[in-house]
Amino acid sequence: MTQTTPQTTDVVIIGAGLTGLTTAYYLQKNQKEFLVFEKQTRIGGVIHSTRENGFLYENGPNTGVVGNTAVVELFEELEQAGKCKPELAGKNVNKRFILKNAKWECMPLGPKDAITTPLFSLWDKFRILGEPFRAKGKNPNESLASFVKRRMGQSFLDYAIDPFIGGVYAGDPNYLTTRFAVPKIYNLEQNYGSLIGGSMKKPMKEKKTELEKRVNRKTFSMEGGLGNMTTALYESAGKDKFVLGANNIQVQPTNGGFQVSYENGAGESLVIHAKKVISTTGAFVLEETMPFIEKDLLRKIDSLIYTKVIEVALGFNRWEGIKLDGFGGLIPSKEKRDILGVLYMSSLFEGRAPELGALLSVFLGGVRRQDLMLLNDEGVRQIVEKEFKALMGVNRFNPDFIKIIRHNHAIPQYGPDSAERFAAVEELEKMYPGLQIGGNLRGGIGMADRIKQGKELAQTAL
Ligand SMILES: Cc1cc2nc3c(=O)[nH]c(=O)nc-3n(C[C@H](O)[C@H](O)[C@H](O)COP(=O)(O)OP(=O)(O)OC[C@H]3O[C@@H](n4cnc5c(N)ncnc54)[C@H](O)[C@@H]3O)c2cc1C
């Protein structure tokens, strides 16, 4: 048997999604010795862009938010190195629609819109004036639904937060815990006693560094698709540091480090010794990769629920439906439709569809409708056709291009068991110095969170 990879290294990273790639990028930048083991034969994890028949579509996330300094720094570095170029969404990005009584309504952007919108009840519009004076919540595990009802009212929950959570988490606000799922909202109440008051006072109180000022919270993709971002990280970290198509990866602690065994693409069993191991996979993978974790501790970590999502990329050479001048539309669960929402990708970014055409991303399933995962492609197509005829002004549903992508572990749901999970991860890392458990089981679900965590994992390893 010939071993082509070295037999020792400083750091082993498991998983070459955005988290693992960012960690690898920063280890490389600091000249640390490392290897990345990835089960698939390509890098990027759920991020994957494809060009086909004049359309450029995403198979995973479609857009991210420039939401922290780690994103700003990384994008500036990659762009300066000529590796990839972030593309910010066009100016109609703030125009977002919410479905009410089968009609798309604009999401209010300011106080004036909030008064006139038909989305919220008159009673809640009055009630909102009292929001700054409402008492702080005392339950640290309060669900998001209870939090929003308490502070803003039922109609804000039904026609703002519920569709927003459907769009971001494909989740249920009754299950998600405010403190873990939307910590910014939780902290506004805890630190300022009010969401409205806190949003106004926070920027005045905070002194921002030059770098922090560049956190513009704008919506991003990359020129040529998000896949160009993961490719840029792969190339910058050094392609020779990646073992792709690595099967049955198993970590075992040894004296002063870890033994990592795996099978390469040819089915050969290989072993490598590392001082440190960083896992960046989902929680559901740990039982397989870390068999040494004591069962009770593991259950607290891998009990994390991941919702399933079906994503449908739809391309039209000539779009004849409703005007697509915005970000897209989200659908509240109260409306009882069979899709979660639609993103107008070709309205946000250049070159996604032919000139008179459109590229849309449609999402189905989520916590609301896990049953839809059982449908075959024809079943999914029929649902999308029915909903497009009802909601998107399409008389004849004849897309020139349709791609159906199923995600069995799409988005982790940070529910009431999160505190116990985070404590278990900390305990595990203390028991095995040199082991770091990253990935979206903690630290946030969005791409910006993954970049931030990837950088932190590298800093700890350094
Ligand atoms: C449908 C969908 C839509 C989304 N939309 C958005 C959005 O609009 N905005 C946003 O900011 N974020 C969005 N996200 C979230 C965002 O895509 C993720 O947070 C991010 O891409 C996750 O990166 P990761 O590296 O943590 O995980 P992953 O991308 O899951 O990478 C983990 C890697 O580990 C590998 N792996 C698994 N098991 C093993 C094993 N046994 N051995 C070795 N390797 C293994 C996997 O193959 C994978 O490459 C979306 C996610 C999905 C699924």
Side-chain angles (χ1 to χ4, degrees), residues 17 101 379 416:
N101 301 328

Side-chain angles (χ1 to χ4, degrees), residues 9-12 256-258 273-277 433-435:
T9 189
D10 276 349
V11 186
V12 157
F258 300 89
H273 293 272
K275 290 184 195 135
K276 292 173 182 177
V277 169
L435 176 68

Side-chain angles (χ1 to χ4, degrees), residues 189-382:
E189 185 189 54
Q190 289 304 308
N191 299 336
Y192 299 93
S194 152
L195 308 187
I196 296 175
S199 319
M200 288 184 325
K201 278 187 221 152
K202 195 167 172 252
M204 290 191 281
K205 256 188 140 179
E206 275 176 354
K207 269 222 152 71
K208 287 191 176 166
T209 62
E210 278 311 310
L211 182 62
E212 283 165 345
K213 284 182 194 158
R214 300 207 289 281
V215 179
N216 55 27
R217 303 210 55 80
K218 289 197 170 155
T219 301
F220 72 80
S221 176
M222 289 284 150
E223 283 186 8
L226 287 167
N228 279 351
M229 166 176 72
T230 44
T231 302
L233 290 168
Y234 177 45
E235 288 174 0
S236 307
K239 287 183 179 181
D240 57 328
K241 304 285 175 56
F242 288 74
V243 181
L244 302 181
N247 280 312
N248 295 331
I249 299 164
Q250 284 205 342
V251 178
Q252 286 296 346
T254 56
N255 275 346
F258 300 89
Q259 174 186 294
V260 182
S261 58
Y262 68 101
E263 277 169 28
N264 66 13
E268 294 167 327
S269 298
L270 302 169
V271 169
I272 184 159
H273 293 272
K275 290 184 195 135
K276 292 173 182 177
V277 169
I278 302 176
S279 168
T280 69
T281 67
F284 53 94
V285 176
L286 293 176
E287 182 166 24
E288 179 191 325
T289 53
M290 313 262 163
F292 62 91
I293 304 177
E294 191 235 324
K295 287 284 168 272
D296 278 356
L297 205 55
L298 178 68
R299 284 295 91 88
K300 289 180 186 163
I301 303 172
D302 74 359
S303 56
L304 179 58
I305 297 168
Y306 281 77
T307 187
K308 300 177 199 294
V309 168
I310 302 175
E311 185 170 3
V312 183
L314 279 181
F316 297 82
N317 282 328
R318 199 179 175 89
W319 173 250
E320 288 170 342
I322 61 170
K323 201 170 167 202
L324 302 174
D325 61 338
F327 188 88
L330 289 171
I331 305 186
S333 34
K334 273 211 131 180
E335 293 293 304
K336 304 226 175 307
R337 310 291 323 191
D338 288 337
I339 59 173
L340 293 167
V342 184
L343 280 180
Y344 308 165
M345 285 303 282
S346 52
S347 297
L348 295 175
F349 303 107
E350 296 295 320
R352 305 284 161 148
E355 205 178 332
L356 298 173
L359 176 80
L360 300 118
S361 293
V362 187
F363 294 92
L364 292 81
V367 170
R368 279 185 215 167
R369 296 294 305 277
Q370 294 286 285
D371 58 304
L372 296 180
M373 293 303 288
L374 300 172
L375 292 174
N376 60 16
D377 282 3
E378 185 46 33
V380 173
R381 189 195 150 100
Q382 281 173 15

